[in-house]
Structure formats: C-alpha cells, structure tokens
Amino acid sequence: MDFNDTPAEAAFRAEARGWLAAHAPAHELTPGLKIPDTEEADRSRAWMRELFDGGWSGLTFPKALGGRGLTGIEAVIFSEEESRYHLPKGPFTSIGTGMALPVIAKHGNDAQRAQFIEPTLKGDLTWCQLFSEPSAGSDLANLRTKAVRAEDGSGDWIVNGQKVWSSWAHLTDWGILVVRTDPAVPKHKGLTFFVVDMKTPGIETRPIRQISGMSEFNETFLTDVRIPDANRIGAIGEGWACCMTVLMGERLGSGAHRSGVEPLIAMAARTPAHDGSTMLDDRAVRLALADALAEEQGERFFQARLRTMVSKGENPGALAGMIKLAYAGRQQKALGLGMELRGLDAIAADPADSATADLQYDYIYSTVMRIAGGADEVLRNQIAERVLGMPGEVRMDKDIPFEQLK
Amino acid sequence: MDFDLSDEQKMLADQARGLLAERTPYDRLRKLIDSGAEWDEQLWRELGEMGFLGANIPQEFGGLGMAELDLGVIAQELGRANAAVPFFSSIVLAADAIRLAGSAAQKAEWLPRLASGEVIACFASAEGPGPLLGQGTQLTDGKLSGAKHPVADAGIAALAVVQVGDGLALVKLDQPGVTRTRLDSFDQLRAHYRIDFADALAEPMPGAGVLATLLDRAAVQAAFEAVGGSEACLAMGRDYTMGRTMFGRPLAGYQAIKHKLADVAVAIELAKSNAYFAGWAAECSADDLPGAAASARLTAIKAFEMAARENLQVHGGIGYTFEANCHFYYRRERMLAVIVGGRGYWADRLLNAQPGAQGQTHSTGKAA
Ligand SMILES: Cc1cc2nc3c(=O)[nH]c(=O)nc-3n(C[C@H](O)[C@H](O)[C@H](O)COP(=O)(O)OP(=O)(O)OC[C@H]3O[C@@H](n4cnc5c(N)ncnc54)[C@H](O)[C@@H]3O)c2cc1C
C-alpha cells in the first residue's frame, strides 16, 4: 500500500495544478451567489471548452476516440485538483461526458462516435437524460414511451410518450433516450436506445418547480417525434444493456455533489455557545461531528480502494453503490446537524451569510442524493444480492410480455 | 497511489485465516469456556512458531520487522476467529509500549521473548469504572502501590506494563508485592484480573509522553480486529438466513433482512478503509496517525456493534443459545468497544487533528 503519489502521479498532479492555477480562476462562480440557469449553462460550456483546449477533457477516454487514454487514478488526481476551485460543473455537462459518451463509445458505431464525441468534449454539444417516466423510476424497464417504424419506409422511428425529471432538458442540445420498441416481449427485452436532437418537432419540455425553488428538471412530452434510424445506439432490443452502461457511469461519477464535514466543523467553531465557548465545545455536537467525519474519511478511502481496483482493471461493480449509499445518508444527517448547531439562525440568516445559505440549499439537495442515481433502498437490494449473494426480489412481472402486464 | 493490501499481505491473511479456521473452530471456543480456561495455549504457541506474534517487532529484537499493516492483517484474522489468545494485551499494547518507551536494555530483555510468545505481558491501566488511564497508582523509588483493574490476561502474564500517571513501568508479576485476583469476565474468552500492588518492585520506562501514540497504534489494531469480527458476523448472519425458510421462501430474501445486512456490509467497508489508511499512517505518516486512528476506531466500533447485534437478531431464539456462535462476537464486541478508551476520547482526538478545529474546553485529549 502506498498512499502517496508515485513520481509519475506527482508529476501529473503538478502539471494539473499548474494548468488549473492559470486557467481555473477566471471560470470560478461566486459561492452563495445564484445566477440564472442560462448563464450557468453558458459558463459550464466555457469551462468545458477550456478543458478541451488545454487537453484535459475525456481523461480516461481512449485516445482513438479523442480522449487522453489515462488511468482512473489520473482522473481522480485531476478531479481532486479541480475541486479546489468553485467551477461551473454539474449535470448540465456531466450527463454528456459521464453518460452519453460512454454509451456512444461502447454501443455506438463509428459515424456516431465521430459525430458526437468531440463536440461533447468541447462543450459544443450538451445532453439530457430521457429515461425516467411517471411510472418508471427505480423500475426503469417499466417505461411506456414507445417507438414504431414510420410507415413511409424511411426507416425512421416515430416516438410517443412522456419522460419526467429530465434535468436540464430545456437547455441542452441532445438527449439520450430509451423507449419501448416491442411490447410483445418481457419488459427488459423490448427496449431500444436512441440519441435525439432536442430541437426535433414534437418535443416539448415543461419545467417542474422543485423544492429547492429552482426548476432544473422537466417533464418532457414526445408527440410523433421522428428519429432517423441512424440515431439508434446499438441493436433494436438492446436498450437495456445501453441503460446499464449509462447507470454504471452515473454511480461512479455521483461523488461529485458531495459536501464535506469540514465546513461544518469550521461553522461550529464560529458559532457562539454559552459563556464564551463555541458550539465546537459542545459534547453532543463533537460526538456527532466526529462520527460524520470518520464516516466521510471512510468513504474517501473506500473510494480510493475502488479507484485502485479500476486502475488494475478490476470492476468494482456493486461496491460502487456502497459508497453512494454511505455518503448520501451521511451527508443528509451531517447537514441536518449543521443546521441545528447554528441555532434558530439556520432558518433565517443574515443575507451576507453565504455559508448558512449554502447549508440550507445543501440540506434540501441532500434528498436528491438518496433518490437519484440509485435510491437507497434499490442500492441496499443490489448490495445484498450482488455483494452478499442473497436472493433476488420477488418479481411478479418476470417473463411476462410487457403488453400483458397490469 | 496504490490503496490496497500488497500480495504478500493478502498471502499473510490467507495463511493466518487458514491456520485459525483449522485450530480454533467454535466448538473449541465452547470447550475453553466450559473448562474455565484462561486462553488457548496451544494456539498461542503455534502463532509464535509461525512468527505472527513478532510480525511488527524489529528483527534485532527477534521479530519479523514487518509493518503495522501486516500486524493489522493478522489482527483482523484473530478477530474473525475470535481466538482466545492474549494478542492484544501482550503484542499490541505491552510489546508496543516497551518499543515506544523502553530503554535499550528493557527492549533487549523483553521484546524477543514477547515476539516468540514465550513470555506474555499484560497492560494495566484502568482503576475501576471511568477512564482507561487511572490516576491512583503511585511509583516511588522503584516501588509501586495501588490497584489496577480489570486487567486482561494478567493470570497468564509474567510481566505487566503498568501505566502510572503519564508514564509507564515494568512490573514482574511473580513477586511478593503483587496479588492477582481473577474477576468474572463478560468476554468469556479473555480472563480478567484485579492486580494489587503493595510496594511491588517496578522499573520505570524512560520514554515519556508516549501514551497517546501507544493508544493511537493500539486503536488501529483494535479496528482491524473489529473488522475481522464484523466480517465473521456478517457471513454468519447471511449464511443462517439463506438456509432458513420462512413463509415459503428463504429468510434472506426479505428486504428487512437484506437491507439490514447491506447496511452492515457498508459499515464494514468504511471501517476497513479507515483501518487501511490508519495502518499505513502508523508506519509512514506520523502526522496523519491521530486523526486516522480515531476515524478507524469510531467506524470500526460502529461496524462491529451493528454486525454483532444484527447477527444475533437475524438468528432469532437460537441466537440466544450457547450452542449458536453469535454470543462470542456479541461479547467480544463490547470488550473492543472499551479496550482503548471511549468514544468521547476518540471524537476529541479526531476533531483536534483537524486544522483549526480545536475546541476551547476539550482540546487536551487527556483522560482516554
Ligand atoms: C433532482 C433529480 C434529477 C433527476 N434527473 C433525471 C434525469 O435527468 N433524467 C432521468 O431520466 N431521471 C432523472 N431523475 C429521476 C431519478 O432517476 C428517479 O427519481 C429515480 O430513478 C427514482 O425513481 P422514482 O422517482 O420514480 O421513485 P420510485 O422508483 O417510485 O421510488 C420511490 C421509493 O421506493 C423505493 N423503492 C423503489 N424500488 C424499490 C424496491 N424494489 N424495494 C424497496 N423500495 C423500493 C425507492 O428507494 C424510493 O424510496 C432525477 C431525479 C431527481 C430527484
């Protein structure tokens, strides 16, 4: 075991650090300052472009496909260094790099790779994910949006249905889409995967008001949307395998929204208690903060173990879900504690107190981490089944053609 | 970064696990308890012959000169087997104390014999309910008086490392000034004693200010031991529920059970990850050790707590019987929970290791 950088890794870190110092500050967002989502999108694109021009996009992507062909460890080093800056990153660009590109690279053809990979890495093309539906979330394969061949013999597909919770669908250029092409077979088998230009006639996005007060996700209605067969990714009926590729990327990448325990410790130290002491002197607060910090460290070193596996060519599989399950719960608990130690001020603070504003927002957002990208209960099932080898869930819909399901 | 055990360490673990699985099955533990034995002497001799006991003791003192992590790997397997051996007392605490605080002569006299297992030492610190480090014993002109209790493995030990105030002293137990009285032990596989010292001859160790580091290093090993015990509980609970049919299907298929054990599995991986880092830090990064040891300690106790309790829970009534194997861990877990100081001490140790996070009233880190 060696926790220090190897000489090669140290050199890579120094190079990344040097480049970031020269280029990242100009792109930083002001902490606590809310900007319109169109501006956030533009600034995300600009940062993608900067990364691309500097040779820092698609780090783990094969060179032949326009990436740098580096190892997972180098990608970790870069993201560690990058996370020292408050940069415009998030689903707006990560759906493209973390979901669309892996699926296109793995299941797409050469023409599709040529068309989509480089523009996406450059930030010229942004993506949304059109998977979830009102009756298909954790049970994604239950989706109903359907595609049939056009009757004009063009080979095009005509899509009808409704997607929901489509993050940034109102501002992105293209979508990754999974639909049902064969209702006569069991649900997982009748799915096909597409990419779709969001400007295609028949696509309508309606923003949904979220509990955070923002509207980053949408309902997306698809009415007679015509998609050329050239935009089909993988074979007809292979949609589920494509979805698995996407969801794996989602799990490995989802550490990005982590908010740490250290700022809460600093906040406790700044919050007065009785008799000139601070909240960091409070026994109950200390125990709870220490528990949260110890768990956070455990997540960090567990992540390091998984990244080491990846760099040795092993597949962490369901182990990745363990980290997500751990941090989603820990984060919500720690942020809740953060509000408590701040006292009543946590509810309505001085407008200049951006740390409390962030805390409020993060506490609201911590709910998302427990639902999206594999909900807690779904992850527990996966861990029990795939890591511990316990029996699968009872399924009432197994082997039954989709059209016969109630 | 290469954050994994080395191939050699994995082999060491396999070797230890294989030996322990063969030599100390649960039925043997039951026999030891029934016979009132203080320890598994035969197993201890074998561990000594294999070199496991001297794993991290320097070669010049008869050990293998391996790293803290190597010892951790062994501790994990001892925890998995719930072996009835004085490893924690003699190797993790006493030998390490001599290594950290002993004079050259003291090291030369004791370490080789501790490394081989020929001599056993116990570690005496507590003085009844309260802190791990008692403050009522007096050492004057090489004479020790007071009482330490409980002290694990004192009945089979020839030597005690005794904490006196902020320092440590060596006391041979076979002398007129020392009285040992066996206590009923909650952990039935570790005999505990009260030791009364009446002007007992004691040799102070010259090293000062080592207690906190000693406890850090011991906490790392306790974390490994707890991880091993937790893994045994998880496997036992999983296997039992897989084999038990309930309302027409395996108990293991119910979500209440799956989710419980999944949570245990996550807690174990967090603890293990922290233990790996802390084991590495104990050897390679002294600055990181206090915080890393505290994180390992807090998460490992949490994991073992969950694992030991929920393992018994999923067994139902049979879990409450002596014939089932849950109780060994259910008891050992509580011992590990208190063996190197309470959670308040480790919470302080962790927070105080954070830059800029020293509390005003609790920053001394004393009174483990
Ligand atoms: C902020 C946000 C952004 C999102 N962005 C996108 C996006 O861009 N594109 C997209 O396609 N989707 C997106 N999603 C949707 C997300 O993928 C789903 O919310 C998620 O898959 C859960 O599905 P659901 O909401 O239908 O909840 P459900 O699946 O209905 O889950 C409800 C509850 O049931 C539990 N549950 C589910 N299955 C089981 C089971 N087998 N056993 C026990 N309990 C179970 C869940 O854990 C949860 O607690 C987003 C969601 C959020 C919150």
Side-chain angles (χ1 to χ4, degrees):
Chain A
M1 181 168 310
D2 188 355
F3 205 69
N4 284 321
D5 286 342
T6 63
E9 287 162 0
F12 180 80
R13 188 184 296 280
E15 185 195 342
R17 211 177 261 190
W19 184 84
L20 284 163
H23 296 88
H27 292 270
E28 279 193 290
L29 301 171
T30 315
L33 182 73
K34 301 271 173 280
I35 54 173
D37 52 6
T38 46
E39 187 185 335
E40 192 177 334
D42 286 342
R43 295 187 60 176
S44 301
R45 274 197 187 91
W47 177 238
M48 290 286 286
R49 181 66 199 220
E50 189 82 85
L51 287 170
F52 183 85
D53 289 342
W56 297 99
S57 355
L59 293 184
T60 55
F61 231 56
K63 274 191 181 149
L65 298 179
R68 268 184 74 171
L70 299 174
T71 66
I73 293 298
E74 283 156 316
V76 176
I77 293 173
F78 188 76
S79 65
E80 279 170 3
E81 294 303 321
E82 195 187 20
S83 68
R84 293 168 190 272
Y85 299 88
H86 197 66
L87 291 161
K89 293 181 77 78
F92 180 70
T93 50
S94 67
I95 291 175
T97 52
M99 298 187 187
L101 291 193
V103 78
I104 292 167
K106 185 163 174 198
H107 304 272
N109 58 37
D110 286 343
Q112 290 164 339
R113 294 191 186 114
Q115 183 181 356
F116 296 112
I117 292 179
E118 188 175 312
T120 302
L121 291 177
K122 275 181 173 162
D124 291 344
L125 252 187
T126 55
W127 295 83
C128 61
Q129 179 198 15
L130 305 173
F131 281 23
S132 302
E133 298 186 7
S135 61
S138 305
D139 187 9
L140 177 60
N142 196 44
L143 61 88
R144 288 155 197 266
T145 296
K146 64 174 192 207
V148 295
R149 290 277 192 180
E151 283 166 4
D152 58 11
S154 60
D156 292 351
W157 297 83
I158 306 298
V159 180
N160 278 286
Q162 183 197 343
K163 295 290 176 177
V164 75
W165 325 128
S166 341
S167 301
W168 296 90
H170 57 305
L171 289 175
T172 40
D173 305 307
W174 282 69
I176 45 176
L177 173 70
V178 58
V179 297
R180 186 164 307 281
T181 45
D182 187 357
V185 295
K187 61 181 188 176
H188 291 91
K189 299 200 170 127
L191 306 177
T192 302
F193 204 93
F194 291 93
V195 289
V196 58
D197 184 340
M198 292 301 285
K199 285 183 276 309
T200 314
I203 300 183
E204 188 201 342
T205 59
R206 290 188 204 152
I208 301 173
R209 184 170 168 189
Q210 301 168 169
I211 64 168
S212 61
M214 306 219 249
S215 300
E216 291 148 325
F217 62 30
N218 303 269
E219 292 179 287
T220 305
F221 295 91
L222 302 119
T223 313
D224 293 332
V225 175
R226 183 177 278 262
I227 302 181
D229 193 49
N231 289 347
R232 172 167 51 81
I233 306 290
I236 296 168
E238 237 183 56
W240 189 246
C242 297
C243 289
M244 287 298 103
T245 301
V246 170
L247 297 180
M248 197 59 219
E250 181 168 36
R251 205 128 315 148
L252 276 176
S254 47
H257 308 284
R258 226 170 285 202
S259 61
V261 179
E262 276 172 45
L264 301 178
I265 296 174
M267 187 175 251
R270 288 198 310 271
T271 307
H274 297 289
D275 309 325
S277 68
T278 74
M279 286 309 283
L280 192 56
D281 297 311
D282 182 288
R283 289 312 289 162
V285 167
R286 285 181 82 73
L287 285 174
L289 281 176
D291 269 343
L293 183 60
E295 279 185 33
E296 183 186 40
Q297 311 263 10
E299 293 154 22
R300 187 175 138 219
F301 299 125
F302 190 21
Q303 179 86 9
R305 283 171 57 205
L306 298 194
R307 293 294 188 167
T308 300
M309 286 175 72
V310 171
S311 77
K312 290 180 180 170
E314 295 163 41
N315 181 359
L319 294 175
M322 296 176 106
I323 298 193
K324 196 217 168 227
L325 178 61
Y327 83 69
R330 187 264 305 153
Q331 185 167 270
Q332 186 175 51
K333 227 162 83 182
L335 291 163
L337 168 73
M339 289 187 70
E340 278 176 48
L341 66 83
R342 205 65 184 152
L344 193 53
D345 200 63
I347 305 303
D350 188 299
D353 179 1
S354 69
T356 299
D358 283 348
L359 185 60
Q360 292 174 342
Y361 180 83
D362 289 346
Y363 181 67
I364 294 284
Y365 192 76
S366 68
T367 55
V368 172
M369 300 315 296
R370 295 188 55 200
I371 297 169
D376 281 6
E377 290 73 17
V378 172
L379 293 176
R380 288 193 179 99
N381 277 347
Q382 284 179 8
I383 293 161
E385 291 165 26
R386 297 196 205 148
V387 180
L388 302 180
M390 296 170 82
E393 292 292 287
V394 174
R395 289 180 193 269
M396 317 302 271
D397 55 4
K398 215 175 166 212
D399 302 327
I400 300 175
F402 183 76
E403 61 198 3
Q404 286 173 27
L405 293 176
K406 287 184 202 97
Chain B
M1 173 169 79
D2 178 2
F3 198 65
D4 191 10
L5 297 178
S6 66
D7 289 344
E8 292 75 18
Q9 283 159 341
K10 288 177 188 166
M11 270 170 55
L12 183 66
D14 284 347
Q15 209 185 3
R17 193 193 293 211
L19 176 82
L20 290 164
E22 202 170 296
R23 297 294 194 274
T24 178
Y26 294 126
D27 281 342
R28 181 166 177 84
L29 300 184
R30 257 182 290 276
K31 278 202 195 91
L32 289 167
I33 294 172
D34 280 341
S35 68
E38 304 205 15
W39 61 322
D40 188 338
E41 183 169 0
Q42 200 184 321
L43 176 64
W44 182 254
R45 300 284 166 239
E46 246 178 303
L47 292 173
E49 281 158 25
M50 303 280 290
F52 289 146
L53 303 179
N56 76 331
I57 292 176
Q59 282 172 338
E60 55 171 323
F61 298 119
L64 297 181
M66 293 160 94
E68 282 300 300
L69 255 183
D70 300 294
L71 193 71
V73 159
I74 295 167
Q76 187 176 344
E77 295 311 321
L78 290 169
R80 192 189 313 280
N82 215 318
V85 289
F87 177 81
F88 206 86
S89 301
S90 195
I91 304 299
V92 174
L93 288 167
D96 215 45
I98 295 171
R99 217 177 124 186
L100 292 172
S103 67
Q106 287 165 336
K107 290 182 200 173
E109 182 180 2
W110 294 110
L111 288 180
R113 289 193 279 162
L114 294 176
S116 69
E118 173 199 337
V119 167
I120 289 157
C122 59
F123 183 79
S125 63
E127 297 168 10
L132 180 71
L133 307 178
Q135 297 300 330
T137 349
Q138 307 293 331
L139 178 60
T140 329
D141 299 331
K143 299 272 176 65
L144 186 70
S145 56
K148 290 286 189 186
H149 56 105
V151 181
D153 304 309
I156 52 174
L159 179 74
V161 171
V162 183
Q163 163 264 329
V164 187
D166 291 337
L168 292 161
L170 292 174
V171 182
K172 290 184 192 159
L173 291 173
D174 191 11
Q175 59 162 303
V178 173
T179 314
R180 287 176 271 181
T181 316
R182 189 164 176 183
L183 305 169
D184 275 338
S185 174
F186 179 77
D187 183 343
Q188 297 170 309
L189 293 161
R190 288 278 190 292
H192 280 78
Y193 280 78
R194 174 189 170 101
I195 313 183
D196 286 283
F197 303 99
D199 285 338
L201 297 176
E203 244 185 61
M205 288 201 272
V210 304
L211 280 175
T213 302
L214 176 66
L215 292 185
D216 284 348
R217 291 164 58 89
V220 178
Q221 297 303 328
F224 273 103
E225 191 175 331
V227 166
S230 309
E231 287 180 332
C233 290
L234 177 59
M236 197 190 296
R238 195 261 324 263
D239 291 350
Y240 180 78
T241 58
M242 298 278 279
R244 181 152 172 91
T245 301
M246 207 75 104
F247 303 103
R249 59 191 179 105
L251 175 57
Y254 290 87
Q255 276 196 357
I257 304 295
K258 288 167 77 174
H259 288 194
K260 198 195 278 292
L261 296 189
D263 284 339
V264 171
V266 170
I268 292 174
E269 291 308 323
L270 297 184
K272 194 192 292 175
S273 306
N274 274 331
Y276 282 3
F277 179 69
W280 174 85
E283 197 75 32
C284 307
S285 182
D287 287 351
D288 284 322
L289 179 60
S295 282
R297 172 84 188 141
L298 291 168
T299 46
I301 288 308
K302 184 169 175 193
F304 202 7
E305 221 173 67
M306 284 169 78
R309 292 173 188 171
E310 300 312 324
N311 176 40
L312 198 149
Q313 176 67 17
V314 301
H315 276 72
I318 191 100
Y320 196 65
T321 67
F322 189 64
E323 279 317 302
N325 302 317
C326 312
H327 60 98
F328 301 123
Y329 299 96
Y330 190 72
R331 287 176 182 272
R332 174 63 48 79
E333 186 280 321
R334 279 296 92 183
M335 173 168 179
L336 280 179
V338 296
I339 204 167
V340 283
R343 65 182 84 203
Y345 172 81
W346 293 104
D348 284 339
R349 192 98 179 127
L350 177 54
L351 291 181
N352 292 342
Q354 291 300 110
Q358 276 77 14
Q360 289 167 9
T361 52
H362 299 284
S363 58
T364 60
K366 269 212 176 162

